[in-house]
């Protein structure tokens, strides 16, 4: 039976590397691929050259209406055949937390978290759900030295609201928003596993520190230049190293037992920090997310929760 894998954000960086790793597998181990995102033609052509069967579903993940439409297209495409895996790879880090999605939500939270929660809720749940995480949700010695801000959790309704004011709150606020979104993904993974039941395996993949990728493309030029320089340090993660590892988590039998939001750092399961397990926060996030989806689907409705 042919396995089908859906991946978001497949055009650059980690997502592109994962797509090509899956497409380059031997014929009997190669999945059909559903690519969800923008400007898909180039990576789709590369994957087809490697022998993969590829479906393109164009969607802007900063628009929840696009996400819902994409889910409808995928349902029509696969029919009764369940997805083997959904890789929620797409990510963004807005340099200004006043920036909003098409639905009025803070952009980093909207793309990294809300878009994927919406997509998963609108599809028959795949056998494997692989969410993209990051250890930036807490500060260790190295992240403190580099000035990487940790999460500052607030009620999810507040996290979804953009900043206000005449001036940009700054790069630190942008980093906090990113770390909050990644902590939300951990909370969501735990609650999704409870809601989805035993037939679904939910895990979170952390590709390792990958400076210089397109994630920070909205950052100031000087900061992007520093990130590119850091990306050349020997031993740091790269899409070429972490992409095949992400593909493996989605496909290989060695990872079939991953459940309950198990956190995979490149190629090994590690324990998350205690802050990443909080049943009350997880349930509140789930309930608030459902209300945010309802608000986004109702023209003119208020998002004050």
């Amino acid at each position: 039976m042919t396995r089908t894998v859906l991946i978001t954000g497949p055009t650059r960086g980690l997502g592109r590397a994962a797509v090509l790793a899956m497409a380059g597998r031997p014929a009997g181990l190669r999945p059909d691929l559903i690519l969800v995102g923008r400007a898909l033609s180039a990576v789709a052509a590369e994957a087809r050259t490697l022998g993969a069967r590829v479906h393109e579903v164009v969607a802007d993940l900063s628009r929840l209406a696009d996400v819902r439409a994409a889910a409808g297209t995928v349902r029509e495409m696969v029919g009764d055949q369940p997805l083997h895996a959904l890789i929620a790879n797409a990510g963004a880090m807005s340099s200004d937390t006043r920036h909003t999605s098409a639905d009025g939500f803070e952009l980093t939270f909207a793309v990294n978290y809300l878009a994927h929660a919406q997509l998963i809720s609108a599809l028959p749940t795949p056998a494997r759900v692989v969410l993209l995480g990051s250890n930036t949700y807490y500060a260790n010695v190295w992240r403190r030295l580099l000035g990487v801000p940790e999460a500052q959790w607030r009620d999810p309704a507040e996290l979804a609201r953009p900043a206000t004011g005449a001036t940009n709150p700054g790069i630190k606020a942008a980093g906090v928003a990113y770390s909050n979104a990644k902590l939300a993904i951990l909370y969501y993974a735990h609650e999704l596993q409870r809601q989805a039941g035993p037939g679904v395996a939910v895990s979170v993949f952390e590709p390792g520190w990958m400076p210089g990728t397109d994630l920070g493309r909205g950052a100031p030029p000087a900061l992007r230049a520093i990130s590119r320089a850091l990306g050349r340090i020997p031993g740091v993660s790269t899409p070429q190293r972490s992409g095949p590892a992400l593909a493996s988590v989605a496909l290989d039998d060695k990872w079939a037992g991953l459940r309950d939001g198990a956190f995979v750092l490149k190629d090994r399961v590690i324990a998350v920090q205690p802050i990443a397990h909080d049943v009350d926060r997880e349930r509140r996030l789930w309930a608030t997310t459902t209300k945010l989806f309802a608000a986004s689907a109702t023209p003119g409705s208020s998002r004050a929760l």
Side-chain angles (χ1 to χ4, degrees), residues 91-300:
M93 179 177 170
S94 174
S95 60
D96 187 338
T97 53
R98 296 173 301 171
H99 290 166
T100 67
S101 70
D103 305 284
F105 303 127
E106 193 279 318
L107 189 59
T108 298
F109 190 75
V111 174
N112 288 277
Y113 169 65
L114 285 176
H116 291 115
Q118 176 75 97
L119 182 64
I120 292 165
S121 71
L123 289 171
T125 312
R128 297 188 193 183
V129 176
V130 185
L131 304 162
L132 260 290
S134 171
N135 271 324
T136 62
Y137 72 91
Y138 77 99
N140 63 8
V141 172
W142 294 110
R143 284 189 282 276
R144 287 191 183 98
L145 288 173
L146 291 168
V148 178
E150 63 184 339
Q152 296 177 14
W153 189 256
R154 308 190 307 279
D155 187 86
E158 295 180 27
L159 296 178
R161 295 190 192 108
T164 58
T167 59
N168 183 352
I171 194 65
K172 181 177 180 180
V176 170
Y178 180 77
S179 295
N180 282 337
K182 291 303 182 181
L183 183 53
I185 286 168
L186 287 168
Y187 289 152
Y188 172 73
H190 303 148
E191 187 63 23
L192 176 62
Q193 186 70 79
R194 286 191 286 267
Q195 297 283 339
V200 177
V202 182
S203 62
V204 180
F205 179 79
E206 152 70 281
W209 184 42
M210 290 195 300
T213 66
D214 282 333
L215 179 65
R217 55 188 175 273
L223 188 58
R224 294 201 305 272
I226 293 170
S227 293
R228 286 193 295 272
L230 292 172
R232 292 191 286 271
I233 296 173
V236 302
S237 295
T238 64
Q240 291 70 33
R241 295 190 189 105
S242 295
L246 174 56
S248 177
V249 170
L251 287 171
D252 291 340
D253 290 344
K254 67 176 285 187
W255 301 110
L258 292 182
R259 291 181 53 81
D260 301 320
F263 194 86
V264 181
L265 175 58
K266 293 187 280 191
D267 59 359
R268 58 192 176 92
V269 177
I270 66 169
V272 294
Q273 298 297 306
I275 191 177
H277 285 283
D278 189 312
V279 173
D280 289 339
R281 287 181 175 183
E282 290 159 7
R283 289 174 176 166
R284 171 62 180 164
L285 176 65
W286 186 274
T288 300
T289 300
T290 301
K291 293 178 181 178
L292 292 174
F293 292 160
S296 73
T298 305

Side-chain angles (χ1 to χ4, degrees), residues 28-62:
L29 301 174
R30 182 188 304 132
D32 288 353
L33 298 171
I34 300 176
L35 311 183
V36 178
R38 297 180 293 180
L40 300 170
S41 57
V43 68
E46 288 184 81
R48 291 184 182 112
T49 298
L50 292 171
R53 183 182 180 193
V54 182
H55 306 278
E56 302 169 50
V57 180
V58 177
D60 180 346
L61 296 183
S62 70

